[in-house]
Amino acid sequence: MSNVFHWSYGRHDAPVLLCLHGIGSCADAFEPQRPLAERLDMRVVAWDAPGYRYSADPDTAPGIDGWADAAAALIEAVSGGPAVVLGVSWGGVTATRLVLRRPDLVSALTLADSSAGAGTKPEQAAAMRARAADFVDLGPEGFAAARAQRLVSPEASDEMRAQVAEMMVPSIRMPCYQWACDSMAESNHYPKLERITAPTLVVVGEHDEVTPPRSSQRLAEGIAGACYAEIPGAGHLANQERPEAFNDVVADFVESLAG
């Protein structure tokens, strides 16, 4: 996995918590989750997905299977065993495909502000595919500034909105952003959720406009035994906007598995 950038924080030989970012982001979106390394005695690992920021571009469109397989390869490279996988938004769709393809590598799953994919309805799939055209038309800075407004709650500070936009600008590029949008448009995990046996937490920001709480509730309802939680006062990027509350929910879930 030399072509996939990732950072890690925590004891090198500790169990791994692998963090998979959203479609417009990068590994640094999980800087607020670093405290989980000490709290859970785990090694927090976050990647730049192939084709994002510091990671090399794939030769061809990976599809969601390709990104899931890349995540599986990273787990095998950094961990002596299965990992707890935390995916935000598109990262959650990737994590879902990962656990479906390689259940042996996922000891537990957290799907944050995520969905079953955009392939559940033709209009959603079309809108997802078209998003990359906005990126081309507006340019990186214009696209990031406009998109950041939807990713946080109405009460978010101007500083938080600026941070989200600033992280997006160097993270995404063509053609990989188009390929990522296409991978979402092609995904519909609802018929396959019943196959997931890993302990699962579904968590969502109270004010998420991108994947509203009802979508996360439906996701949780499709996975046997899944836990569900909402983060008060948070939008789509709950892990960044309300990190303390988010980390508490994730830590309580992981700690419950040991009990």
Side-chain angles (χ1 to χ4, degrees), residues 118-140:
T120 55
K121 296 179 181 178
E123 59 271 24
Q124 288 181 338
M128 180 57 68
R129 292 183 192 278
R131 190 186 296 176
D134 293 337
F135 174 73
V136 173
D137 292 343
L138 296 173

Side-chain angles (χ1 to χ4, degrees), residues 152-223:
V152 293
S153 71
E155 293 78 22
S157 66
D158 290 341
E159 180 182 7
M160 171 60 65
R161 296 173 196 275
Q163 287 176 355
V164 171
E166 288 168 4
M167 188 176 296
M168 189 180 300
V169 171
S171 298
I172 58 178
R173 57 183 177 267
M174 296 292 280
C176 289
Y177 187 66
Q178 179 70 71
W179 292 345
C181 291
D182 291 345
S183 78
M184 282 287 283
E186 294 161 1
S187 298
N188 175 12
H189 287 140
Y190 281 130
K192 303 176 182 178
L193 294 179
E194 62 182 16
R195 289 169 42 195
I196 297 175
T197 58
T200 300
L201 166 68
V202 178
V203 58
V204 63
E206 176 189 14
H207 301 300
D208 189 340
E209 297 180 2
V210 180
T211 54
R214 179 59 196 134
S215 295
S216 287
Q217 290 168 3
R218 185 180 175 194
L219 197 59
E221 289 163 2
I223 302 172

Side-chain angles (χ1 to χ4, degrees), residues 4-216:
V4 174
F5 171 84
H6 65 277
W7 56 250
S8 67
Y9 186 78
R11 188 162 53 84
H12 185 76
D13 58 347
V16 167
L17 171 62
L18 176 64
C19 301
L20 307 178
H21 62 75
I23 202 166
S25 195
C26 65
D28 289 351
F30 295 102
E31 289 283 349
Q33 278 61 67
R34 286 191 179 224
L36 289 172
E38 182 175 356
R39 177 166 176 176
L40 296 172
D41 191 22
M42 298 186 74
R43 181 183 176 193
V44 177
V45 178
W47 78 348
D48 288 347
Y52 277 74
R53 201 177 57 155
Y54 300 136
S55 290
D57 289 357
D59 293 331
T60 58
I64 204 70
D65 283 347
W67 271 296
D69 290 348
L74 181 57
I75 291 173
E76 291 176 323
V78 302
S79 175
V84 177
V85 179
L86 163 61
V88 170
S89 194
W90 174 62
V93 179
T94 304
T96 301
R97 188 63 62 92
L98 167 62
V99 75
L100 290 168
R101 289 172 70 80
R102 292 295 307 273
D104 57 305
L105 291 179
V106 182
S107 60
L109 185 65
T110 294
L111 305 176
D113 298 276
S114 192
S115 71
T120 55
K121 296 179 181 178
E123 59 271 24
Q124 288 181 338
M128 180 57 68
R129 292 183 192 278
R131 190 186 296 176
D134 293 337
F135 174 73
V136 173
D137 292 343
L138 296 173
E141 289 80 9
F143 179 81
R147 189 71 190 158
Q149 304 307 309
R150 293 199 66 208
L151 299 180
V152 293
S153 71
E155 293 78 22
S157 66
D158 290 341
E159 180 182 7
M160 171 60 65
R161 296 173 196 275
Q163 287 176 355
V164 171
E166 288 168 4
M167 188 176 296
M168 189 180 300
V169 171
S171 298
I172 58 178
R173 57 183 177 267
M174 296 292 280
C176 289
Y177 187 66
Q178 179 70 71
W179 292 345
C181 291
D182 291 345
S183 78
M184 282 287 283
E186 294 161 1
S187 298
N188 175 12
H189 287 140
Y190 281 130
K192 303 176 182 178
L193 294 179
E194 62 182 16
R195 289 169 42 195
I196 297 175
T197 58
T200 300
L201 166 68
V202 178
V203 58
V204 63
E206 176 189 14
H207 301 300
D208 189 340
E209 297 180 2
V210 180
T211 54
R214 179 59 196 134
S215 295
S216 287

